[in-house]
């Protein structure tokens, strides 16, 4: 594919010849898999704004079976939910109607088997009949009753500055995406980007996505790259996936409690079952463990060696009515051995398994629930246990480790249309996510927490206002206040561990009685203002302002242009 695009640039290949080659390749694939009715089953990435729209509609009781505890969802499912909203009798505002129309056009092939509102640069024979500004844009697309094949280009131009330290940085990120579905059931996705940056690299390391790329830390490089790709099967009730993609997990209005957008994207196998009100999710992930440096005897060279580390998660969820749903899940982190077949078993109790493995792995139990208190108010909550010790349950013993999250969404409060108000409180007790019975079983990857990026012995108050000015323009303001009890290091070996660092487990010499927010109190306030304006379809202007007050004040300004064509 890369060679084809290079030859197009050089002018040595005609568009017709490219189309012919692609069509022949697809014909071979169709001959292998046969003919079926078509529906796209590749996933809609977690950052897509359609999820915010579906969240609003779910809070307004317009969706019967919607569950976003584990994201992303497939294009097939998103299309189903959009169709359900379109047919619902609940009144919606004019802006919501336009936003719904926009998404119905984006997912029109999944809904109506048409591509009237999409434009392809290389093979659109009816481009004169379409509105370019409002059409979904692709470099190349091919559809028939059995195959969908889409190629998109990606470009981001980004500039940011930190005013207090007078830092600035800029980068151009470019790449492409190939996605599609074969035979109504098999989806594929491949996306790769590369970027060149200039300016202060420490400023880029403040970005939660960029700081997961190890190249930014190496001063020899001024570039970074990202890649995601997977194969996926989806039937009527079951789906399975293998590959690399951003997965988030948890009932949260902010950062997800179980798997957030904080850690690097990792490789996994995933299995889901969904039948009416019942849902089951399973995931097993691979990532880097702790590293060590070894010396090669023959040469004397020193090289880095990384251990293996894994996470397994499963969850059962039930939606008892459109007004109430709940779920129960387990997670386990294990490392420094080969893949454990017991944790590949989708129907087993992880806690019992890890005890049979000599109690060396790090397990968690999570309860979650959602309730619609009215047609415009939704409550969400999660309760996490990092081991349960019934002898000391309810006391201040260090081994009673738990975390909780409770949030509320108000849709169109005070009769203001197209307006969302979110509140969320998170509390994590001392020593949660740490682990003292193994070398590297912290709930993290490369020192990035897998779940919400909040240290133990902390609490977080989060409020967010979001306003949809128009289908092309949204605006949000959030205020976060965090209080954290840090471990106390007085020097000269005087270190008091109060459970304030997930990388520092409880030691024999540490106090067995702990108190929430003990230690050195750190308070941080953050105000974030962000706005996205869609200039024309799939060309975006992003504006971002971030104010943080901790030991010092910082003002971060960012602007970017994104093109997805």
């Amino acid at each position: 594919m890369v060679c084809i695009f290079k030859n197009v640039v050089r002018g040595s290949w005609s568009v017709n010849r490219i189309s012919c080659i692609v069509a022949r390749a697809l014909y071979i694939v169709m001959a292998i898999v046969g003919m079926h009715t078509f529906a796209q089953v590749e996933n809609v990435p977690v950052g897509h704004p359609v999820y915010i729209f579906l969240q609003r509609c779910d809070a307004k009781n317009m969706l019967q079976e919607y569950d976003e505890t584990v994201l992303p969802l497939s294009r097939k499912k998103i299309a189903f939910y959009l169709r359900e909203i379109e047919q619902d009798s609940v009144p919606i505002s004019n802006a919501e109607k336009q936003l719904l129309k926009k998404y119905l056009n984006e997912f029109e092939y999944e809904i109506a088997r048409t591509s009237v509102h999409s434009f392809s640069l290389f093979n659109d024979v009816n481009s004169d009949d379409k509105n370019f500004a409002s059409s979904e844009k692709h470099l190349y697309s091919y559809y028939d009753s059995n195959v969908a094949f889409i190629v998109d280009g990606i470009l981001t131009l980004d500039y940011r500055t930190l005013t207090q330290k007078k830092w600035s940085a800029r980068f151009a990120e470019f790449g492409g995406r190939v996605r599609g579905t074969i035979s109504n059931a098999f989806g594929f996705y491949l996306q790769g980007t590369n970027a060149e940056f200039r300016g202060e690299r420490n400023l880029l390391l403040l970005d939660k996505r960029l700081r997961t790329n190890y190249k930014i830390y190496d001063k020899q490089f001024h570039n970074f790259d990202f890649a995601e790709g997977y194969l996926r099967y989806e039937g009527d009730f079951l789906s399975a996936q293998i590959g690399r993609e951003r997965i988030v997990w948890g009932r949260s209005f902010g950062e997800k409690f179980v798997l957030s957008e904080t850690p690097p994207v990792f490789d996994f196998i995933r299995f889901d079952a969904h039948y009416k009100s019942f849902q089951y999710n399973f995931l097993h992930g691979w990532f880097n463990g702790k590293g060590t440096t070894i010396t090669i005897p023959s040469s004397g060279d020193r090289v880095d060696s990384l251990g293996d580390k894994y996470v397994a998660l499963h969850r059962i969820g039930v939606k008892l009515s459109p007004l109430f749903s709940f779920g129960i899940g387990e997670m386990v982190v294990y490392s420094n051995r080969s893949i454990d077949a017991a944790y590949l078993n989708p129907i087993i109790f992880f806690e019992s398994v890890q005890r049979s493995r000599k109690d060396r792995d790090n397990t968690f139990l999570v309860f979650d629930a959602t309730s619609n208190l009215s047609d415009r108010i939704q409550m969400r909550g999660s309760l996490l246990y990092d081991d349960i010790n019934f002898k000391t349950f309810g006391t201040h013993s260090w081994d009673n480790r738990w975390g909780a999250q409770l949030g509320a969404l108000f849709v169109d409060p005070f009769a203001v249309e197209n307006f969302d108000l979110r509140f969320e409180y998170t509390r994590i007790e001392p020593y949660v996510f740490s682990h003292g019975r193994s070398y590297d079983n912290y709930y993290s990857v490369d020192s990035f927490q897998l779940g919400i990026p909040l240290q133990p012995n902390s609490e977080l108050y989060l409020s967010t206002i979001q306003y949809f000015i128009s289908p092309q323009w949204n605006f949000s303001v959030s205020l976060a206040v965090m209080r954290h009890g840090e471990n106390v290091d007085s020097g000269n070996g005087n270190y008091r561990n109060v459970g304030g660092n997930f990388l520092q487990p409880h030691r024999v010499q540490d106090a067995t009685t702990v108190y929430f927010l003990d230690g050195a109190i750190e308070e941080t306030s953050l105000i974030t203002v962000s706005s996205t304006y869609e200039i024309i379809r799939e060309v975006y202007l992003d504006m971002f302002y971030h104010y943080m007050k901790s030991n010092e004040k910082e003002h971060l300004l960012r602007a970017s242009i994104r093109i997805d064509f």
Side-chain angles (χ1 to χ4, degrees):
M1 187 63 69
V2 173
C3 294
I4 290 176
F5 282 112
K6 284 182 178 178
N7 285 317
V8 168
V9 173
R10 294 169 184 163
S12 58
W13 287 63
S14 68
V15 173
N16 289 336
R17 190 174 180 185
I18 296 172
S19 301
C20 181
I21 290 173
V22 174
R24 286 180 181 177
L26 292 173
Y27 178 81
I28 294 172
V29 173
M30 287 187 291
I32 294 173
V33 300
M35 300 296 291
H36 296 79
T37 304
F38 177 74
Q40 288 180 267
V41 300
E42 65 270 27
N43 288 329
V44 179
V46 296
H48 198 293
V50 71
Y51 292 114
I52 299 295
F53 178 69
L54 293 176
Q55 194 177 92
R56 279 177 55 88
C57 294
D58 185 44
K60 295 171 74 170
N61 296 325
M62 300 176 70
L63 298 171
Q64 299 299 309
E65 299 176 8
Y66 183 67
D67 190 329
E68 61 171 33
T69 306
V70 182
L71 296 178
L73 303 176
S74 70
R75 295 182 65 86
K76 177 181 177 180
K77 282 189 176 181
I78 295 294
F80 173 82
Y81 295 131
L82 292 173
R83 185 64 173 164
E84 186 177 1
I85 296 168
E86 184 184 31
Q87 296 173 347
D88 197 278
S89 59
V90 173
I92 58 178
S93 68
N94 289 330
E96 287 177 313
K97 290 178 182 177
Q98 295 177 44
L99 196 56
L100 174 60
K101 180 180 179 181
K102 172 184 172 180
Y103 291 136
L104 290 172
N105 290 342
E106 180 175 349
F107 293 87
E108 65 176 332
Y109 202 82
E110 289 80 5
I111 296 171
R113 303 298 182 264
T114 64
S115 57
V116 176
H117 298 92
S118 68
F119 168 84
S120 295
L121 179 63
F122 288 138
N123 67 323
D124 200 322
V125 295
N126 298 315
S127 59
D128 292 340
D129 300 329
K130 299 179 179 179
N131 186 336
F132 177 82
S134 61
S135 295
E136 288 289 312
K137 301 170 184 62
H138 309 294
L139 293 179
Y140 180 89
S141 63
Y142 176 88
Y143 302 98
D144 65 18
S145 60
N146 192 62
V147 173
F149 182 81
I150 296 168
V151 179
D152 290 326
I154 303 169
L155 174 64
T156 300
L157 303 176
D158 184 287
Y159 176 81
R160 58 190 68 188
T161 180
L162 193 65
T163 59
Q164 305 309 107
K165 295 183 178 180
K166 298 182 180 180
W167 289 351
S168 65
R170 61 192 182 277
F171 65 81
E173 185 174 11
F174 54 92
R177 178 191 308 114
V178 178
R179 65 175 177 86
T181 294
I182 302 171
S183 190
N184 192 39
F186 298 96
F188 57 90
Y189 183 98
L190 173 62
Q191 177 175 303
T193 60
N194 199 302
E196 292 287 334
F197 71 87
R198 295 291 182 269
E200 179 58 56
R201 70 178 65 236
N202 287 328
L203 178 53
L204 298 180
L205 291 174
L206 298 177
D207 189 298
K208 68 179 181 181
R209 181 180 78 101
L210 301 183
R211 67 187 173 204
T212 62
N213 191 289
Y214 82 97
K215 274 193 171 184
I216 295 184
Y217 296 85
D218 193 329
K219 294 183 179 180
Q220 299 181 66
F221 299 102
H222 285 85
N223 68 293
F224 56 84
D225 61 295
F226 292 95
E228 296 183 18
Y230 59 81
L231 295 174
R232 188 174 187 277
Y233 165 82
E234 182 172 346
D236 292 335
F237 311 116
L238 303 175
S239 65
Q241 182 177 345
I242 182 170
R244 171 180 295 203
E245 182 185 27
R246 171 64 69 192
I247 299 285
V248 295
W249 191 307
R251 296 208 193 220
S252 307
F253 293 117
E255 287 276 15
K256 298 294 186 179
F257 206 38
V258 177
L259 288 180
S260 71
E261 296 185 62
T262 299
V265 177
F266 56 84
D267 303 289
F268 62 85
I269 56 174
R270 176 183 174 184
F271 170 80
D272 300 283
H274 192 182
Y275 181 71
K276 294 185 177 179
S277 61
F278 171 84
Q279 180 168 309
Y280 174 79
N281 309 102
F282 171 84
L283 183 142
H284 187 286
W286 287 256
F287 37 79
N288 294 332
K290 272 191 176 180
T292 185
T293 302
I294 60 175
T295 301
I296 306 298
S298 59
S299 63
D301 293 338
R302 295 175 63 83
V303 297
D304 293 331
S305 175
L306 290 175
D308 295 316
K309 189 171 180 178
Y310 314 93
V311 64
L313 309 94
H314 61 187
R315 174 185 177 272
I316 294 176
V318 179
K319 194 159 189 175
L320 299 180
S321 73
L323 303 180
F324 181 75
S325 62
F326 73 94
I328 303 175
E330 286 185 295
M331 306 101 75
V332 60
V333 177
Y334 67 102
S335 60
N336 294 294
R337 65 182 190 265
S338 59
I339 299 171
D340 197 321
Y343 296 131
L344 292 176
N345 184 348
I347 306 177
I348 199 71
F349 291 111
F350 287 162
E351 177 62 26
S352 297
V353 168
Q354 79 92 19
R355 292 190 187 281
S356 72
R357 294 292 191 264
K358 298 191 176 180
D359 204 20
R360 52 185 166 153
D361 303 326
N362 196 4
T363 56
F364 304 84
L365 181 65
V366 180
F367 302 90
D368 60 73
T370 296
S371 177
N372 285 16
L373 302 183
S374 73
D375 60 356
R376 295 180 186 274
I377 302 176
Q378 185 178 89
M379 300 288 294
R380 294 185 182 183
S382 298
L383 179 61
L384 177 146
Y385 286 103
D386 183 355
D387 293 335
I388 301 177
N389 192 326
F390 290 104
K391 290 183 179 180
T392 58
F393 189 78
T395 70
H396 290 283
S397 176
W398 76 271
D399 56 2
N400 274 316
R401 293 171 290 174
W402 58 272
Q405 194 172 54
L406 181 64
L409 166 63
F410 300 86
V411 176
D412 299 340
F414 316 113
V416 180
E417 292 185 338
N418 314 316
F419 181 73
D420 289 349
L421 185 59
R422 291 172 169 82
F423 297 102
E424 194 161 73
Y425 173 73
T426 305
R427 171 169 171 158
I428 302 180
E429 289 289 305
Y431 293 107
V432 175
F433 301 127
S434 64
H435 193 66
R437 298 192 304 273
S438 66
Y439 178 65
D440 188 27
N441 284 353
Y442 309 108
Y443 197 67
S444 64
V445 48
D446 292 339
S447 298
F448 295 101
Q449 290 174 255
L450 288 170
I452 184 171
L454 188 65
Q455 287 279 8
N457 202 25
S458 300
E459 63 180 355
L460 173 66
Y461 297 85
L462 176 67
S463 58
T464 303
I465 297 172
Q466 182 153 325
Y467 182 56
F468 298 91
I469 300 172
S470 72
Q472 293 77 33
W473 192 5
N474 66 72
F475 176 84
S476 69
V477 179
S478 67
L479 169 64
V481 178
M482 182 192 72
R483 293 201 303 160
H484 170 57
E486 180 60 90
N487 296 339
V488 181
D489 188 353
S490 303
N492 300 321
N494 297 320
Y495 183 82
R496 187 163 72 94
N497 186 9
V498 297
N501 187 333
F502 78 97
L503 295 175
Q504 175 60 71
H506 185 271
R507 306 167 302 175
V508 175
Q509 66 268 34
D510 294 328
T512 57
T513 300
V514 296
Y515 297 93
F516 183 61
L517 291 182
D518 190 12
I521 298 298
E522 298 178 349
E523 184 167 315
T524 304
S525 301
L526 302 101
I527 298 175
T528 302
V529 180
S530 63
S531 178
T532 296
Y533 180 72
E534 192 170 22
I535 303 170
I536 61 173
R537 194 72 184 97
E538 297 190 289
V539 178
Y540 306 90
L541 173 63
D542 299 317
M543 302 295 293
F544 178 92
Y545 167 73
H546 182 85
Y547 167 78
M548 182 174 73
K549 180 182 178 182
S550 185
N551 296 327
E552 57 184 22
K553 299 178 181 180
E554 293 183 351
H555 299 269
L556 174 63
L557 297 170
R558 175 186 168 192
S560 65
I561 294 178
R562 292 181 291 122
I563 301 174
D564 192 329
F565 191 131

